[in-house]
Structures are given as C-alpha cells and as structure tokens.
Amino acid sequence: MLRTHTCGELRPDRIGSQVSLCGWVDRVRDHKGVIFIDLRDRWGRTQVVVGPDADSTTLAAARAARSEWVLRVTGTVGARPEGTTNPKLATGAVEVVCTAIEVLNEAETPVFQPGATDLPGEEVRLAHRWLDLRRAAMQDNLFLRSRIVKIMRDHCDELGFIDVETPMLGRSTPEGARDFLVPSRLDHGSFFALPQSPQLYKQLLMMAGFDRYVQVAKCFRDEDLRADRQPEFTQLDLEMSFVEADDVIGVIEGLVRRTAREILGLDVALPLPRLTYDECMERFGHDAPDLRYGLEIVDLTPLAAESEFRVFRGAIEAGGRVRGIRVPGAAGRFSRKELDELTAVAVEAGAKGLVWLKVEPDGSWSGPVAKNLTGIAAGLQERLGCGPGDLALVVADSFEVTCKALHTLRKRLGAELGLYDPKAMNFSWVVDFPMFARDTESGGWTAMHHPFTAPKPEHLAFLDSDPASCRAVAYDLVINGSEAGGGTIRIHDSATQEKVFKLLGITAEMARERFGFLLDALRSGAPPHGGIALGIDRWVMLFGGLDSIRDVIAFPKTQKASDLMTGAPAAVEPKQLVELGVRVVAPPKPAAPRPEGG
RNA sequence: GGGGGUGUAGCUCAGUUGGUUAGAGCGCCAGCCUGUCACGUUGGAGGCCGCGGGUUCGAGUCCCGUCACCCUCGCCA
C-alpha cells in the first residue's frame, strides 16, 4: 500500500507516529510561511501542514499543488496547537506534519470543485460524473446503496434463498413495456431483448425445484424517463415455492423492518397496514397512496344527487360520482388566485372543473357555486367533517377522473401545506388488484400486473363470467406514496394460464410460440409459487430522503436516455451494421459533440 | 407525442422600459501574508449571452424556429 492510513482515520491516539496518506487536494491554504493542504479521500479529510522548516523539495511541491492533484504525503501525526483544532472535521484534533510530498498525479483545473458549496447544474455533473462522484453527498448515496443491497442479500441468504443469474439476452415479449433490442449477428433479422424483469426465468427456477431464488437483477424498459424512472434499473427479484401471499409479504416485512432499523434507526411495527386496491381508490384515488397525511377522499354522491346543481346532477346521471376532500383550516390560506391554480391542477388531471367551498366563521358556505348548494350545505359539511375555517374541494365526474383529480390535489396540498414530516417513513401494502384493465386503445382486456398473475381462488369463475370483477393475488409495497415493489402469486397450472392468455387476446397459437416453454414447464410438475420484485434504486432514494433516482445511480441517463459522459447512444461503424444485417432507415444524426475535457 | 421551466465567464447567478464598453461571488493566474480550515488581502486574465433566422437606427432583452437539460401528462404488463 502506498499509504499507512486513510484520510479519515487519524485521531489523537496516533500523535507522534510516522504516517503516509494518499488522496486528492481538496483545498490549499498558503500562508507563505506555513502551507495547509486538506487531503481528501473517500474516508474523509485530513489537514497536512508544511512548515517553514520543511526541505525545499517538499516546500516546492506544496506550493505547486493544485485542486484535485493526487498526492502521497508522508509525515508525523501532530496535535494541533491549542485553539486551532477543527471540531467540524473528524480528524480535526490532529494534523500531519509533512516531511515529504510525492505527486502521484497532477490534475487540470476541475470544471467544478467537488468540495464547493454551490452544486453545479445536473448537465455539468453528468458530463463530468467522475468529478461529481467525488462529492461527499454522492459518495454517501452510493455507500447507502451498498449497505441496503448488503442487507437485502444477507436477509435473503439467511432465509435460504439461492442467488441465480438469469440471461440479459432473452426473447422479446410485445406485452408490457417497450423492449431494448439487440440484433443477432449469427441470425440476421432476429433480435434478442434485454429483460424487463427476470419474471419467466425465476418461475422456471421454481419449476426446477430451487424453492427460493433471489437476484439483484438489472432490468431494462424503453419507456420515457422521470425523476424516479431510468431505462435501466435494478430490482431485488425473488421467488418462492409452496407459498401464499402472506409468506412473501412476511419475508419483505422482515426486510423492511431490518432496513429501517439498520439504516435509519427506526422501529417499524409489523405487520404493515394493508389496504385493498378498491379501498385505496375510494379513499385516496390512487393505488400507491401516501399515508403520511390525511386529506382522505369522501364520497358525496348520494347527497349531491339531491341537489339541483347541474354540474353534480349531470355527472351522476352520466354514471359518475361526486367526491371531495376537506382541507382543514385552509379557508384563509388560499387566495382566489391560488384556488384558480388548484382548479387548473384538477383540469390538467382531466376534471372539467373544481368546486371549492370555504366554511365561514358563522358556518355558512362561501365560494362561486355556494348558492347552488344551499339545500345540501349542511349535509355536505357533515359528510366532509368540515367546520369553520375549513376548505372543501369537490370534483364531479367519472370515478376515474375524480380519482385522478383528487389524488393530484391531495399530493400537492400535502406537500404545499407541510402536512407531514419529510423525514417520516410510511410503509404499507396494497393488495387485491384487479386482474384486468380495459385497454383504452383496443378496448380489450390487458393484464393489470402481468399475464402470469394468479386470480384469487374464489374469483376463478370470474375469468369466464366477469373479468372486471376478478381480483389477483397481488401485493404492492408502498413507501411514502411511491411504489417500492410489487409481486404476485403466479399461475401454476397450464389450464388457468391458457385461459388468461386467451382473455388477454393471446391466441393459443401465439401463446405456444412465445410462451410454449412456460406452458410445457407448467405441465411438468410446477409447484405453487409466487414472488416479488423491489425497486432497489427507489428504496435507496426513499431511505436516503432524495428526490431523484439519478442521485443513487453511479452513471445514470438523462431524460432522453442519453449518457452525457460517454455520448451513448451513438452511431456505429457501417461495418458493424453490415455484420448484423441491420440497415438504418432514418438518416444518421451527426454525433453529439462531447463536452470539453470529456 | 403534449404541457411547463431553464440556458449569460470554468462553476453558481444578476442583468430594469430594447440603448453606448454585459456584471457579481467562487474558481483560475500573479504579488503580499507563520496557524488557516469557505484563510485573508492586492491586482489580473477570462464572454458565440445555447444555436439559426427575423423585427429594429440599435437585441442578452421582442418575435419565429431549433437544440440541450429539468419537472410533468401520455407511456411504464
């Protein structure tokens, strides 16, 4: 080793020892007679002192040293003179009195200083990611990620899971998300697809008798990006045989508890609350509700039906609903302009408008349509639980639109009014998802989760009679209103699987071609099985209290799925295309210029 | 694909109603400084105002287009 210690570990007990440290120059403070160099590595920072009595070579090296140079410093650990200790630094009671400096590498002036207080824009950070990753905050994020993944692996290992790797090159399945395709060189015109998840492989591992499988699995989905979505992401993917939903849920609850304790020192009470999908939509308008605050949705349809207000009557007569939320004490907090903004939010979410009502100190309603509601005012207030000073927001529309609009409003108000502690962590399960949803384009059925999800045993008959009412043995883990994982018990008999395929519009022929191996395997002794996949990037983001998934991924992509550091994706040599039998139809764009120094 | 935001020095940003030579802090370079730790201090260098077009006597500022990045809707079985 070039060093005896890291830059984060020297303490007064080492005073007098001869040490060597290696690291980057964080800052130089040249006082002419004495020069201070803060040397930084991933462990911390240590002050190196070059005094006037240092030899001329060492003095010259200290004078020459610049930001981000890589040095090996040799010297003696000294106590800092009284009054010059730095309590902000873990190593702040000592310093290394330098006797020799070896410049391991010089560095060009960095585009930005990793130690600077001003955070550069994300474009700059991504283009110079190696510098960005020197920042303590980013290092902390990746350490956190490493710790969480270790907890996950330990947890599963202790429970008898076997870690199996599954292929990155697989077969494209047109259902679900768009695939990333890889052309075959040996079979022109054929393509591999990168896995959206190891779903079928892990089911086959159950059929092979491994009983408990786990993998930290890279997954790929070629869909548009978001603050919490990347085209390649990592899941803790696991599957278990001879289990019911409660067994899988139990394994994950143990992991939640353990992670919360080890990472945050938080004691999570088990079992976690469970809500059904239907209850979630009714109370929160969303299948991944944020339970850190209230603002629950209240159904006002029966009352509204008694009013003469055309907006309400019209929605109800069209088969819709009238629903609202009470915002306690908010009547005085929102100006007309802000209420117009809330209305715009509701409209953006699909509603035709937003009815807002304030309860005045005397208990009367005020608001643009208050006069239309005189007949039911008392009833509405009672149903919503509104009192003087409260604000009520009401939407009349189809059930889906009221869900969307009120969910969006609820989320916004929760954050804007500071209704929860940003450090609070809330874990819950959402269960009993519908098996099927209507495809808005074709009008046919589409799988709410995926086509291998088992229906609740008591709902099997619905597959024939009423698919919309059929509920799945599905469970989503929700953390602070974010979907942090989702799983199901799978279909383990071929007859049910074939029936579900048929419902989804997959003909027997198509099923045989694409999923023949699965159907064969199901007929060759498939155990009852089920599992779950947890979004590791999201877990780290949520446990780290971060807003962007990019901050927990070492080398993430931009919103247009490009890598600003390497320039990927990029055009390839014509020769490569010929080898692959691939012709580009769109005229190739000139390669994007790479950043200076990149 | 739709909606919104941003783009000015290496970095973070300011830039008024369209007006002469585009500013600040940090960083960089040089001088001074023996106890600083966001060192201090003096001076200096550094600009395709994202890019292209237009309006105007005159554009960082107004208009049109375009590109990049961010947020978001659609999408994400």
Side-chain angles (χ1 to χ4, degrees), chain A residues 145 148 152 217 219 228 233-237 477 479 483-486 532-543 549 552:
Chain A
R145 184 185 181 108
I148 289 177
M152 288 173 163
C219 304
D228 61 353
F233 57 99
T234 313
Q235 295 195 328
L236 185 79
D237 188 55
L477 176 70
I479 306 179
E483 185 193 335
I532 193 166
L534 307 177
I536 290 181
D537 314 277
R538 281 192 192 166
W539 269 57
V540 180
M541 179 174 99
L542 292 163
F543 276 94
I549 204 170
V552 301

Side-chain angles (χ1 to χ4, degrees), chain A residues 132-434:
Chain A
D132 191 39
L133 292 175
R134 283 183 197 169
R135 292 172 45 237
M138 285 304 294
Q139 299 213 335
D140 287 346
N141 293 348
L142 293 186
F143 295 145
L144 174 66
R145 184 185 181 108
S146 175
R147 287 172 64 204
I148 289 177
V149 169
K150 181 175 187 309
I151 292 168
M152 288 173 163
R153 288 195 145 121
D154 287 349
H155 185 70
C156 291
D157 182 62
E158 286 161 23
L159 292 173
F161 284 78
I162 174 179
D163 188 326
V164 180
E165 289 176 73
T166 54
M168 287 290 112
L169 297 175
R171 178 175 182 135
S172 175
T173 49
E175 298 82 16
R178 214 172 276 122
D179 282 322
F180 279 99
L181 296 179
V182 179
S184 163
R185 176 179 60 84
L186 298 175
D187 184 12
H188 286 185
S190 289
F191 294 83
F192 297 104
L194 302 182
Q196 296 181 26
S197 91
Q199 183 59 35
L200 290 178
Y201 295 112
K202 67 173 173 177
Q203 289 191 238
L204 290 158
L205 287 170
M206 294 306 101
M207 297 169 206
F210 283 97
D211 201 281
R212 291 184 166 201
Y213 140 95
V214 68
Q215 183 181 193
V216 175
K218 259 300 176 71
C219 304
F220 304 84
R221 292 176 194 176
D222 190 5
E223 297 293 345
D224 283 359
L225 285 70
R226 286 284 191 287
D228 61 353
R229 244 159 55 187
Q230 281 275 302
E232 58 175 304
F233 57 99
T234 313
Q235 295 195 328
L236 185 79
D237 188 55
L238 60 88
E239 196 77 5
M240 306 168 76
S241 289
F242 308 111
V243 290
E244 297 175 309
D246 280 348
D247 301 303
V248 180
I249 285 174
V251 166
I252 301 307
E253 290 193 339
L255 177 62
V256 164
R257 187 176 164 79
R258 185 167 175 174
T259 309
R261 179 180 291 153
E262 290 186 30
I263 299 295
L264 302 171
L266 241 165
D267 205 28
V268 176
L270 298 183
L272 298 176
R274 282 188 210 182
L275 292 86
T276 66
Y277 171 88
D278 291 329
E279 189 184 355
C280 279
M281 300 309 285
E282 200 58 55
R283 290 172 57 193
F284 305 102
H286 193 75
D287 63 358
D290 194 334
L291 302 181
R292 288 176 296 179
Y293 53 93
L295 303 182
E296 282 193 31
I297 298 172
V298 177
D299 183 48
L300 306 167
T301 310
L303 258 173
E306 294 169 19
S307 86
E308 296 301 317
F309 187 34
R310 285 217 315 259
V311 170
F312 286 0
R313 297 291 296 257
I316 293 167
E317 277 157 22
R321 303 264 292 267
V322 178
R323 303 162 80 201
I325 54 179
R326 159 184 173 250
V327 193
R333 291 188 63 163
F334 288 92
S335 65
R336 181 63 194 254
K337 186 168 166 257
E338 286 164 318
L339 288 162
D340 285 346
E341 274 173 36
L342 291 182
T343 305
V345 166
V347 169
E348 166 79 12
K352 291 175 202 72
L354 176 68
V355 170
W356 58 261
L357 296 154
K358 291 177 174 177
V359 186
E360 299 297 329
D362 65 1
S364 66
W365 280 123
S366 74
V369 302
K371 61 180 184 305
N372 299 312
L373 300 171
T374 42
I376 58 166
L380 281 178
Q381 284 193 30
E382 195 200 334
R383 189 94 181 84
L384 284 160
C386 277
D390 289 349
L391 172 71
L393 303 175
V394 181
V395 176
D397 215 305
S398 68
F399 180 67
E400 290 73 23
V401 168
T402 57
C403 279
K404 180 115 191 288
L406 291 169
H407 161 69
T408 311
L409 286 168
R410 183 175 174 269
K411 231 168 93 173
R412 179 179 164 125
L413 291 169
E416 206 170 285
L417 300 175
L419 297 182
Y420 54 90
D421 174 359
K423 285 194 175 142
M425 293 292 275
N426 184 284
F427 304 89
S428 62
W429 290 103
V430 177
V431 299
D432 294 355
F433 281 76

